[in-house]
Amino acid sequence: MNILIIGGAGYIGSHVAREFLDQGHRVTVFDNLSSGLRKNLFPEGNFIHGDILNYPDLLRAALGKTDRLQPGPKSGVSGGEYAKGGFDAIIHLAAFKAAGESMVKPEKYSVNNISGTVNILNAAAEAGIPNIVFSSSAAVYGEPAYLPIDEKHPTKPENYYGFTKLEIEGFLDWYDRLKGIHFAALRYFNAAGYDVKGRITGLEQNPANLLPVIMEGAAGIRPEIQIFGNDYDTPDGTCIRDYIHVSDLATGHVAALNYISRNNKSLKVNLGSETGFSVLEILETARKVSGQPVPAKIVGRRPGDPAKLTASAQLAKETLGWTAKHSDPETLIKTTWEVYKKN
Ligand SMILES: NC(=O)c1ccc[n+]([C@@H]2O[C@H](COP(=O)([O-])OP(=O)(O)OC[C@H]3O[C@@H](n4cnc5c(N)ncnc54)[C@H](O)[C@@H]3O)[C@@H](O)[C@H]2O)c1
């Protein structure tokens, strides 16, 4: 298939692009490089430097009519060839993603996440692109009412970022109904790790998640890391999360696109490992893998942090035939540490 990956120069997007290329698809990345990196582009793919908030530019790209195409040296595609073929699907990963910041600067998230996605939906409708795979988030669920969280769990986001993702899922429902665009909304749990084959070396920009923070501790970028609370109702008192390796997320995108394009129907589905690991378990594994002491200090709880969050991935298994294969702490940390060492 011919795929337009919006946000494909970013952390998860580059892994998704790699997987589509590996599986023989044609890939064009559209990205404004606000947090994406040129280093994350592949010679077999094409690139368009553009912003989803600029509708005319986005539409030209979606129509394959842009004069801004930068063909990858090994893509075998010329500008003309690009213009001929329509896209079979958009993979939409472009967004701001810092939940804490979204509570202080909601307007930033309204514009980039919500208005940006409305532009993408309108461009897809105008260009006749029939499928969209969207990066949603477990943040749509909010405080867990039960565990593991399945797709029937109530959606009540605790932060504005999660609200933008839930709103977008609503737009996707309507564009499916009114414009016949099929979608897969992939509700990722905690994305972590780097390409298991070591082909992606661009570091995630401004990461706020546990694993990169611990890696910064191991690399000496941070003198000490903070553990937010050790008095939770969990075996070691620290919070438990469901970590999903980005290489697993990447295969999930390909499986989801195959499903919606073959069955002509949309779905909202969790992508998680179904296994929870505590902060201390991750920290201990990181110390072992890196051989570094990673100094850590226990500080107070952060407001709104649930003790435990784990996914049910049964729906992904049943519909997509997908399960996580690389989401054990050793693989998550080893692949991340390799990239930190290279940087
Ligand atoms: N990292 C996680 O744990 C996680 C969890 C759940 C959902 N998600 C979602 O997955 C997606 C990808 O996340 P990531 O971790 O790879 O983040 P990232 O910041 O590395 O990637 C986002 C990409 O989108 C691009 N982008 C942003 N705004 C743009 C715009 N206006 N026009 C064009 N390009 C734009 C950035 O340059 C970047 O390449 C996001 O939608 C995020 O909300 C991430």
Side-chain angles (χ1 to χ4, degrees), residues 19-20 23 25 133 184 186 248-263 267 271 316 319-323:
E19 185 63 29
F20 274 103
Q23 297 205 25
H25 299 284
V133 178
L186 305 181
D248 286 330
L249 284 182
T251 57
H253 286 71
V254 181
L257 177 57
N258 286 338
Y259 176 86
I260 60 170
S261 60
R262 281 179 197 154
N263 297 289
L267 93 160
L271 293 184
T319 52
L320 311 179
W322 175 93
T323 48

Side-chain angles (χ1 to χ4, degrees), residues 204-263:
E204 182 185 5
Q205 301 298 292
N206 311 313
N209 295 338
L210 178 69
L211 239 106
V213 166
I214 290 181
M215 290 294 109
E216 288 183 3
I221 301 166
R222 286 174 195 252
E224 182 177 77
I225 69 145
Q226 295 184 324
I227 297 172
F228 298 103
N230 66 348
D231 55 354
Y232 285 94
D233 185 16
T234 59
D236 66 24
T238 62
C239 288
I240 291 178
R241 293 291 176 267
D242 185 310
Y243 296 93
I244 179 76
H245 196 287
V246 284
S247 295
D248 286 330
L249 284 182
T251 57
H253 286 71
V254 181
L257 177 57
N258 286 338
Y259 176 86
I260 60 170
S261 60
R262 281 179 197 154
N263 297 289

Side-chain angles (χ1 to χ4, degrees), residues 7 9-13 31-36 50-53 93-95 97 112 135-137 161 165 188-191 204 209:
Y11 167 52
I12 299 171
D31 201 298
N32 70 355
L33 301 179
S34 55
S35 58
D51 197 307
I52 55 174
L53 297 176
L93 304 109
K97 60 170 182 178
N112 207 39
S135 299
S136 190
S137 165
Y161 163 73
K165 295 289 180 186
Y188 313 161
F189 280 65
N190 290 49
E204 182 185 5
N209 295 338

Side-chain angles (χ1 to χ4, degrees), residues 313-325:
Q314 283 310 301
L315 184 65
K317 195 172 181 180
E318 287 159 20
T319 52
L320 311 179
W322 175 93
T323 48
K325 297 202 163 60

